[in-house]
């Protein structure tokens, strides 16, 4: 016995804390889905509150607001005449009967999904597996659910899981396997990581084969602090084949017409028994996947754009040194915000080379960003007259004078300052606290230096393919990296060659490999020891560094939580 | 049937990552315990690695090193002739048979205790309840144990629990209740919070009454990043009476002679069946508890001292403004490090009042700290000549010039800079990023302004009681607070009166009360809205603020994890 359903999968971009705005967006999407004949609309995880809400979940007033918002949404959609549609909407709920660790009753936050129909919340499902690794703190912020949910929609039994529920064995997946639904829908808040789309599809296909039914996987888009969500909404048919895929990083409403086994389970709730009148299915979009660098570029652009917009800024300010890092950040900012919202300032000292200024000017000319130049010599001299400084102390004054100048312009004109440090620098502490490290957001903090060059070249090539002027000056890409804080200084005076450095960093930071493993892998022992020691000692600097978009499997920040105070010397083990 | 035991409870200060140093310290304590006739020595939680190790637990090389260290310790103690003693030693272990969320086998970290005797690890217990709230991430860093442990020591059956195990119902406490040991020992890594000693004693007494046996609760001392451990090691007899208590914040070896029921359980392991020869018990120390402000003062002193020492610094640098915050930080630093290790610099601008300099000089004279004065006008003028700045942008330049000057001295002379912001300022963002916010450590970041005054007065009173010169100038305590960034500026121009402000902050930050609750509690609605909005908007500043000692039940930092990007407006709910 078969039943048809038209699913509308809402790959949209909610904002954390904007309950009114998010519910307006949801209602608008429901109207569009209804106009196009959808029977079921599936939204991402916690779309009502935005995701992740972190410790806002622990605040009773916020939970109450979320519960009121989902009830209001059900009513609003009904009043707009869409009560027939079945909506699957993520929100923050609470278990009123929860008892805390001291045996006291206490409202407890739950990561939940409401099944909305006919103006009411007809059923709810609570996330069972709470991720508490990497960037996730869900065991801190939620209490888990312990039961599965299957609801009958036009004769088809639809099971629900939330994100992590399908990544772990047991719990919801096992329950659903036993209950034999005809379809499983999975709302997600799954942050982007390089190559994660491959993993997601393989995982969904594995679960489809285990459960023997199609799975619709719905993920959000947009940026939230250091996270960016790439969407990558997919539907896999009962045979394991990819049926539909939404374009990464774009908001869209993906429609999928499915013919499904009906009446397969013993549902918790029957919403509609009668099947929909037979209709001829339309084929769905299967958006091509972006290649690696295109994916990373989009992540960086969306992450920056949303940080700016969602924090109510419009313009950014960047110190343009003529080097590759600031050029890359400027190009990302121009793609994210438009050149008119990007302000660059060149801050040359007496050690700045001529090409620093000409490369900065060329960047401004290529991209159309607002450009100015302020000489820092007079401020640096004032400090050196007031204090006796030499060596690194003197070099750092230049970087910090630039920081003060940037922040002055920012305070005066209202731009948000972008820090231009890359992951290699941040890893080894090759930066000046309160100097080049100033900024509210650091777009490329999770990009190793070797990838900085690769992305710059990629972006320029894209411009050439589109017949546009490449944004990044060739000189910025080809010149030898230098902080230009003393005459003739080169990065290679202080650091290993970046190719080698990044290889050690990738294994140490992402791979958690110890010193002995790195040496066993053929890396030079002195190099390993030197790099690891630099990384460990720079922890205090990273703590004061601004947030920036995570693209790797382990970004600095909440993804990697290490003590500052530590005498563990990994380099000697 | 009774058996006697002399317990030695090691309230000591390990260092995170210093496995060699920690094992040396443990061995030294064992020797002292042996000389004084102890039969059992109990150490704090994870004393071998230090605590908390955070994501170091996830690194295989670190787990291997911990396992090697505990095995080496057992051998070393045996070789020194103390194999007879039974040691209860916390360390990092791993479950080799653990399967991860994708079904793959994987070594998994465990927060464990080894029972050492006769040169060997005779048994181990793994922490069952993993705290994952507040500052704790143990569900992230460890996998839980699932079995209890009772070992027979000289005829007495000794059960083990680790820290959180006794804070939660079920699990280990239930198991031990059923197994009827004659004594329970509890190694802890329990960070200091105001008034927590009351809670700990009541909790231990409650568990004693449930289990019907004495409990020995052993906690560590010392600072670790933003945490400080106050010891507060206690023994509660079977009747619920306090039998012994170690002095807070001091390293000590607390001896307790107990007469215990023997042979009560069915132990997992018999170490010694034969009871010890009868001896006449000595009475134990019951150290008086410190009063509230003395406790806080000690926490701040120990937290700062250990941050400096464990990070291999010796000296600190403080911008001395003549105001109360910097005076308090200087007094704490002098108590922690000695005046000779404290460097103060007065950085007056043209808006600084005369009393700012005289109060700074008086502080230096009272405490004996190294003092210098650097006028900032020439540097400020250089910036204002290079850029057109007015209003707050111009005010901030002064604060940032001070920041650059401080960091210059720090880089040149090797002092660690202390930030002097208090919790009220940090809460509402009343500080200048990269200005007064510079520093590697912020000793009073968890102290509200009203408590800043209370602590200053308390410290001066202590000096008078001891016949010493009070460190903090009376003028710094009594003057009206001002940032002195423009003529005649007062904090009260921008902020509510501190008494009112702190009342709102305490309820909002510590209590997680929402806007509606605060207003219902009788606070002015406009005040509530204004304060909450300031707090929410300052999140980005707090993220870049240095760590500092936690003393409250909710400190800014890992204790309170909120998104920067959030449109939730608590003030309007």
């Amino acid at each position: 016995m078969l039943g048809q359903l038209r699913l509308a999968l809402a790959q949209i971009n909610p904002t954390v804390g904007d309950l009114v705005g998010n519910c307006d967006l949801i209602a608008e999407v429901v109207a569009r889905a209804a106009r196009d004949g959808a029977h079921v609309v599936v939204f991402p995880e916690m779309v009502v509150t935005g995701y992740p809400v972190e410790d806002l979940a622990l605040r009773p007033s916020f939970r109450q607001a979320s519960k009121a918002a989902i009830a209001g949404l059900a009513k609003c959609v009904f009043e707009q005449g869409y009560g027939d549609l079945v909506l699957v909407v993520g929100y923050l709920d609470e278990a009123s009967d929860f008892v805390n660790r001291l045996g006291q009753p206490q409202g407890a936050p739950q990561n939940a999904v409401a099944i909305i129909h006919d103006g009411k919340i007809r059923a709810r499902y609570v996330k069972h597996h709470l991720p508490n690794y990497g960037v996730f703190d869900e065991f801190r912020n939620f209490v888990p659910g312990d039961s599965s949910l299957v609801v009958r929609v036009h004769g088809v039994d639809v099971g629900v899981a939330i994100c992590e529920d399908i990544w772990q064995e047991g719990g919801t997946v096992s329950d659903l396997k036993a209950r034999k639904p005809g379809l499983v829908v999975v709302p997600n808040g799954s942050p982007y990581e390089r190559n994660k789309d491959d993993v997601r599809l393989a995982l969904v296909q594995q679960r489809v084969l285990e459960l023997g039914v199609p799975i619709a996987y719905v993920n959000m888009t947009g940026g939230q602090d250091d996270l960016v969500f790439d969407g990558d909404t997919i539907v896999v048919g009962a045979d394991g084949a990819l049926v539909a895929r939404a374009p990464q990083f774009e908001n869209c409403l993906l429609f999928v017409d499915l013919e499904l086994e009906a009446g397969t389970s013993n549902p918790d709730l029957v919403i509609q028994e009668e099947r929909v009148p037979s209709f001829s299915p339309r084929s769905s979009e299967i958006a091509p996947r972006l290649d690696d660098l295109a994916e990373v570029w989009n992540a960086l652009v969306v992450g920056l754009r949303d940080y700016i917009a969602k924090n109510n800024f419009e313009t950014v300010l960047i110190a343009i040194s003529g080097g590759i890092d600031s050029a890359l950040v400027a190009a990302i900012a121009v793609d994210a915000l438009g050149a008119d919202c990007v302000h660059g300032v060149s801050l040359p000292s007496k050690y700045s080379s001529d090409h620093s200024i000409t490369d900065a000017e060329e960047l401004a000319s290529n991209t159309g960003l607002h450009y100015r130049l302020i000489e820092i010599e007079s401020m640096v001299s004032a400090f050196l007259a007031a204090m006796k400084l030499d060596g690194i102390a003197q070099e750092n004054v230049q970087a910090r004078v630039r920081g003060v100048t940037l922040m002055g312009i920012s305070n005066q004109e209202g731009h948000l300052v972008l820090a231009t440090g890359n992951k290699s620098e941040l890893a080894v502490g090759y930066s000046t606290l309160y100097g080049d490290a100033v900024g509210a957001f650091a777009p490329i903090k999770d990009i190793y230096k070797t990838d900085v060059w690769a992305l710059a070249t990629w972006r320029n090539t894209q411009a050439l393919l589109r017949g546009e002027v490449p944004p990044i000056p060739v000189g910025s890409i080809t010149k030898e990296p230098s902080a230009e804080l003393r005459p003739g200084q080169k990065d290679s005076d202080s650091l290993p060659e970046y190719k080698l450095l990044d290889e050690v960093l990738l294994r140490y930071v992402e791979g958690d490999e110890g010193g002995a493993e790195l040496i066993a892998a053929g890396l030079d022992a002195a190099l390993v020891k030197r790099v690891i020691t630099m990384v460990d000692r720079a922890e205090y600097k990273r703590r004061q560094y601004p947030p920036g978009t995570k693209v790797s499997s382990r970004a600095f920040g909440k993804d990697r939580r290490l003590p500052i105070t530590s005498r563990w010397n990994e380099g000697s083990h």
Side-chain angles (χ1 to χ4, degrees), chain A:
Chain A
M1 196 169 66
L2 296 173
Q4 282 181 290
L5 285 178
R6 173 165 292 167
L7 307 184
L9 308 179
Q11 179 168 303
I12 59 175
N13 182 359
T15 299
V16 163
D18 188 7
L19 279 58
V20 171
N22 294 338
C23 285
D24 286 351
L25 175 60
I26 294 166
E28 182 193 308
V29 168
V30 170
R32 281 165 52 205
R35 279 199 300 276
D36 238 333
H39 306 107
V40 179
V41 196
V42 185
F43 290 88
E45 182 174 8
M46 290 190 68
V47 66
V48 166
T49 55
Y51 179 88
V53 298
E54 306 186 50
D55 284 1
L56 282 174
L58 306 179
R59 196 175 298 165
S61 56
F62 189 68
R63 298 198 293 269
Q64 289 305 317
S66 172
K67 288 163 67 176
I70 190 91
L73 175 70
K75 194 155 166 278
C76 156
V77 168
F78 178 80
E79 284 167 359
Q80 289 178 341
Y82 308 122
D84 273 3
L85 272 71
V86 174
L87 314 181
V88 180
V89 186
Y91 73 112
L92 174 66
D93 202 344
E94 64 181 347
S96 54
D97 57 349
F98 185 74
V99 170
N100 75 7
R101 70 197 176 98
L102 294 176
Q104 296 148 343
Q106 166 181 302
Q110 296 182 316
N111 181 332
V113 152
I115 310 295
I116 294 176
H117 177 255
D118 205 22
K120 298 182 198 69
I121 298 171
R122 301 290 305 276
R124 60 184 209 114
Y125 168 75
V126 177
K127 191 174 186 176
H128 178 75
H129 286 298
L130 300 173
N132 204 70
Y133 51 82
V135 297
F136 302 107
D137 277 315
E138 293 209 0
F139 203 79
R140 169 186 180 90
N141 292 137
F142 305 116
V143 296
D146 56 7
S147 50
S148 59
L149 178 70
V150 176
V151 296
R152 185 163 293 174
V153 179
H154 294 298
V156 176
D157 294 326
V158 180
V160 184
I162 301 176
C163 203
E164 187 76 3
D165 287 333
I166 64 165
W167 290 81
Q168 298 206 22
E169 304 294 330
T172 301
V173 167
S174 301
D175 279 8
L176 290 179
K177 193 169 176 181
R179 297 187 66 180
K180 299 190 184 307
L183 169 70
V184 172
V185 297
V186 188
N188 294 271
S190 175
Y192 171 72
E193 272 176 23
R194 277 174 100 157
N195 307 319
K196 196 174 186 184
D197 47 355
D198 288 334
V199 180
R200 287 188 194 124
L201 177 59
L203 175 76
V204 172
Q205 287 173 322
Q206 179 194 326
R207 296 309 182 199
V208 160
L209 296 180
E210 283 170 37
L211 298 172
V213 296
I215 293 182
Y217 176 103
V218 183
N219 192 23
M220 60 183 59
T221 52
Q224 169 60 30
D225 288 350
D226 46 352
L227 303 182
V228 62
F229 299 90
D230 57 332
D232 196 31
T233 294
I234 47 182
V235 178
V236 172
D239 60 354
L242 182 65
V243 172
R245 177 169 226 150
Q248 281 173 276
F249 298 104
E250 293 180 23
N251 299 332
C252 81
L253 189 54
L254 182 68
F255 287 90
V256 187
D257 294 345
L258 295 173
E259 197 167 67
L260 301 154
E261 296 285 337
T264 50
S265 184
N266 181 17
D268 300 292
L269 169 73
V270 175
I271 294 179
Q272 303 120 330
E273 197 61 83
E274 67 288 1
R275 265 150 288 155
V276 302
S278 171
F279 64 91
S280 65
R282 300 183 303 201
S283 65
S284 294
E285 178 180 14
I286 302 185
R289 275 175 26 208
L290 298 173
D291 65 28
D292 180 48
L293 292 176
E295 206 182 72
V296 173
W297 188 268
N298 273 276
L300 299 179
V301 166
V302 170
L304 173 59
R305 181 190 293 149
D306 271 12
Y307 191 86
I308 301 301
K310 291 179 178 180
N311 283 294
N312 306 312
F313 275 78
E314 288 178 1
T315 53
V316 295
L317 177 65
I318 307 167
I320 305 286
S321 70
I324 184 66
D325 297 318
S326 58
L328 185 70
V329 169
I332 293 164
V334 168
D335 279 5
L337 309 168
D340 200 40
C341 291
V342 180
H343 295 254
V345 54
S346 174
L347 298 162
S349 76
K350 63 182 177 186
Y351 302 126
S352 298
S353 52
D354 292 344
H355 62 72
S356 293
I357 296 167
T358 54
D359 286 340
E361 285 169 351
E362 186 185 335
L363 173 72
S365 148
N366 291 349
T367 58
L369 59 76
H370 299 280
Y371 179 74
R372 75 187 89 177
L373 183 147
I374 299 177
E375 302 268 6
I376 64 168
E377 193 50 37
S378 60
M379 292 86 98
V380 171
S381 300
F383 281 103
L384 298 184
M387 288 183 285
K388 186 187 150 13
L389 302 179
D390 47 38
I392 287 176
Q394 192 180 109
E395 292 178 23
N396 281 339
V397 167
Q398 299 167 66
R400 293 198 177 106
V401 163
R402 291 190 175 113
V404 176
T405 307
L406 273 180
M407 293 306 297
I409 300 171
S410 164
N411 288 166
Q412 183 73 22
E413 301 178 11
H415 318 302
L416 185 145
V417 174
L418 300 182
T420 60
N422 62 61
K423 190 172 191 174
S424 308
E425 280 179 8
L426 198 60
V428 296
Y430 193 67
S431 67
T432 303
L433 256 180
Y434 324 124
D436 52 306
V438 308
F441 197 72
I444 61 168
K445 75 179 278 194
D446 200 27
I447 307 290
Y448 288 112
K449 186 78 175 189
T450 44
D451 286 331
V452 167
W453 281 305
L455 280 165
T457 304
W458 176 88
R459 180 62 185 81
N460 276 1
T461 304
Q462 295 301 306
L464 289 172
L465 292 173
R466 293 198 297 253
E468 296 166 1
V469 178
I472 298 166
V474 172
S476 299
I477 300 178
T478 55
K479 75 172 76 168
E480 194 178 343
S482 167
E484 295 196 333
L485 294 175
R486 63 172 182 264
Q489 185 182 30
K490 303 281 174 231
D491 288 12
S492 54
D493 301 342
S494 311
L495 300 178
E497 193 206 332
Y498 277 115
K499 190 170 168 298
L500 275 176
L501 174 63
D502 288 356
E503 187 179 347
V504 177
L505 293 175
L506 190 69
R507 285 170 170 269
Y508 183 52
V509 177
E510 257 89 330
D512 249 343
E513 292 185 37
E517 287 163 282
L518 290 166
I519 293 163
L523 290 160
D524 177 67
L527 170 79
V528 165
K529 184 165 182 161
R530 179 175 168 214
V531 172
I532 285 182
T533 301
M534 286 193 287
V535 173
D536 290 353
R537 290 200 183 147
E539 184 59 29
Y540 78 100
K541 287 192 184 180
R542 287 190 288 272
R543 289 293 182 93
Q544 297 191 34
Y545 207 75
T549 304
K550 167 187 160 82
V551 301
S552 74
S553 62
R554 185 166 300 159
F556 292 122
K558 63 186 170 183
D559 214 2
R560 184 176 190 266
R561 304 179 191 173
L562 288 173
I564 296 175
T565 304
S566 170
R567 294 208 168 141
W568 175 244
N569 184 349
E570 185 65 62
S572 65
H573 293 272

